[in-house]
Amino acid sequence: EARSNGKRQLSLHYSLAHRDGSVCHLQDDIVLHRDDAGEVTELVGSLIDVTERQALLERFAKLGEQLPGALYQCRLSVDGELSFPFVSTGAQRLFGLPAQAVMSDASAAIGRVHGDDLEGLWHSVHRSARRLSVWRYEFRYRHPDGHPRWVQGRATPERQLDGSVLWHGFCEDVTLRKQAQLALADSERRYRFIVENVSDLILLVDADGLCRFASPSVERILGHTPDTLQLCALLELLPPDDAPHVQRRIAEAIASDHGAQLEMRARHARGHYVWLEVGCSPYVNSLNGQHDWLLAVARDITERKQREVKLHELSTTDSLTGALNRGAFLGCLRGELEGVE
């Protein structure tokens, strides 16, 4: 019942059984005229056959029951009051509340939105109302069964003649997808923590030989920041004499799908060369079978290489004169003789 210009208006719905067994649906819109004392003096009404409309609503309701979420209409009045003129039966599964309860009292559902998401929800609603832009929002919902859920809503707004805004939309349960996203993000944070704190240098190289990722340890090992190596051709860091050999070994590793271990020199940002022990592992795209990436894990072995050179010098030269010792001299002589033969 609603008041308009001092009168009372009623809208009633009748379901009448016809002689042939069919059911006829009528909508009766009544205006109550009252005298100065408030007594009803006259009833003025009109009957409208809404059978066809009711049949469409019933078919629509059956279709709505098959959806995984809930269809709804949401209205924001000019004084900021939110209501739900229509909610499909899917609200029972999604929100744990009967559709009629939500239509009767919007706070029944809004009051169960997680406190940390409620302000953002209202902000998104008012922004959509101001701009008449599509409303989209994800929020946590405290379901009556005790299990929190993630709900995603989407609705299209329309400005009404009375200045209110009416949305037509759909809400669905996205808890499983959201949990997967959060788990993936958490996993990514853990792996990023490992990569950013490991002492070895980790490089990701694309099929063109360009660096796509370098771990922060590159600054300690080669003096470069990760940003300076982005899209840099790594072969440019190798001595010209070593580049063909390294390139061949990497190509062999990619072709074999088993990776490779090699020792190589790389130019430091200050100009000198650093010895690296590198493990290369190719990544094969499962969709097209192409080798899209090459993972390289490198360790600085410069000090070890320097010790090896020193030990070689000590084993082949005289400590006093610096000349080759007997064993080294005979080895060189044997090699020359074999070359002559």
Side-chain angles (χ1 to χ4, degrees):
E1 184 177 345
R3 179 181 294 274
S4 177
N5 299 326
K7 304 174 182 179
R8 292 280 184 174
Q9 296 179 342
L10 295 173
S11 183
L12 304 176
H13 184 274
Y14 309 122
S15 298
L16 303 178
H18 201 274
R19 289 181 178 179
D20 61 6
S22 62
V23 177
C24 179
H25 296 274
L26 300 176
Q27 180 176 312
D28 189 4
D29 296 322
I30 305 172
V31 177
L32 287 72
H33 293 265
R34 299 177 184 273
D35 58 19
D36 295 338
E39 297 294 330
V40 177
T41 60
E42 186 179 27
L43 298 177
V44 179
S46 62
L47 288 174
I48 303 174
D49 188 344
V50 293
T51 303
E52 184 177 351
R53 186 182 71 181
Q54 185 65 27
L56 288 174
L57 288 174
E58 290 176 358
R59 288 200 292 270
F60 179 75
K62 291 180 180 179
L63 289 173
E65 292 175 358
Q66 307 306 312
L67 295 174
L71 294 166
Y72 66 93
Q73 285 183 320
C74 178
R75 185 190 302 275
L76 183 66
S77 66
V78 292
D79 58 2
E81 183 179 353
L82 195 72
S83 60
F84 292 95
F86 170 78
V87 178
S88 70
T89 55
Q92 180 70 56
R93 296 190 303 270
L94 182 58
F95 297 112
L97 300 170
Q100 188 60 49
V102 179
M103 288 187 285
S104 300
D105 181 11
S107 64
I110 300 297
R112 287 190 168 274
V113 175
H114 194 285
D116 293 341
D117 298 336
L118 189 57
E119 182 178 354
L121 174 65
W122 280 111
H123 178 74
S124 66
V125 167
H126 288 293
R127 180 177 57 192
S128 175
R130 288 194 308 270
R131 302 177 181 178
L132 290 182
S133 58
V134 174
W135 175 76
R136 296 184 182 88
Y137 196 68
E138 286 185 355
F139 56 92
R140 286 165 291 180
Y141 178 79
R142 296 180 290 108
H143 198 278
D145 64 8
H147 296 90
R149 298 187 182 183
W150 277 95
V151 177
Q152 181 185 64
R154 185 183 187 280
T156 303
E158 293 179 354
R159 182 77 65 186
Q160 303 299 293
L161 294 177
D162 62 357
S164 65
V165 177
L166 181 68
W167 284 269
H168 308 272
F170 178 73
C171 279
E172 61 180 326
D173 187 340
V174 293
T175 304
L176 294 179
R177 190 193 73 192
K178 198 68 178 181
Q179 288 175 343
Q181 289 177 348
L182 295 174
L184 181 61
D186 185 56
S187 177
E188 182 180 350
R189 284 193 297 270
R190 288 198 302 269
Y191 281 111
R192 183 170 291 276
F193 175 79
I194 294 171
V195 169
E196 291 180 349
N197 290 276
V198 71
S199 59
D200 289 349
L201 169 60
I202 299 177
L203 300 172
L204 195 62
V205 184
D206 65 15
D208 296 322
L210 302 179
C211 178
R212 294 291 182 170
F213 172 81
S215 63
S217 54
V218 69
E219 190 166 2
R220 177 180 56 81
I221 295 176
L222 294 178
H224 296 278
T225 63
D227 291 339
T228 59
L229 287 186
Q230 283 290 333
L231 299 180
C232 172
L234 294 186
L235 289 178
E236 296 178 0
L237 300 178
L238 306 182
D241 295 341
D242 295 358
H245 168 70
V246 173
Q247 195 170 17
R248 185 174 64 254
R249 289 291 307 278
I250 292 176
E252 293 172 353
I254 292 176
S256 66
D257 288 340
H258 297 304
Q261 296 286 332
L262 65 152
E263 295 179 355
M264 53 183 281
R265 292 180 294 168
R267 187 173 63 253
H268 194 276
R270 295 180 180 178
H272 63 278
Y273 284 98
V274 176
W275 274 98
L276 300 175
E277 182 180 64
V278 184
C280 300
S281 302
Y283 169 76
V284 180
N285 190 322
S286 59
L287 298 178
N288 55 26
Q290 299 296 318
H291 295 84
D292 290 344
W293 305 97
L294 182 71
L295 174 66
V297 180
R299 178 172 300 175
D300 187 348
I301 58 169
T302 304
E303 292 185 1
R304 191 186 80 189
K305 277 294 184 180
Q306 290 173 345
R307 288 196 301 269
E308 289 177 357
V309 171
K310 186 64 175 178
L311 289 174
H312 179 72
E313 291 178 353
L314 292 175
S315 64
T316 58
T317 59
D318 183 80
S319 60
L320 294 177
T321 64
L324 292 177
N325 59 25
R326 176 183 173 84
F329 175 76
L330 292 177
C332 290
L333 180 60
R334 188 179 304 109
E336 290 297 326
L337 291 174
E338 291 176 353
V340 171
E341 295 176 358

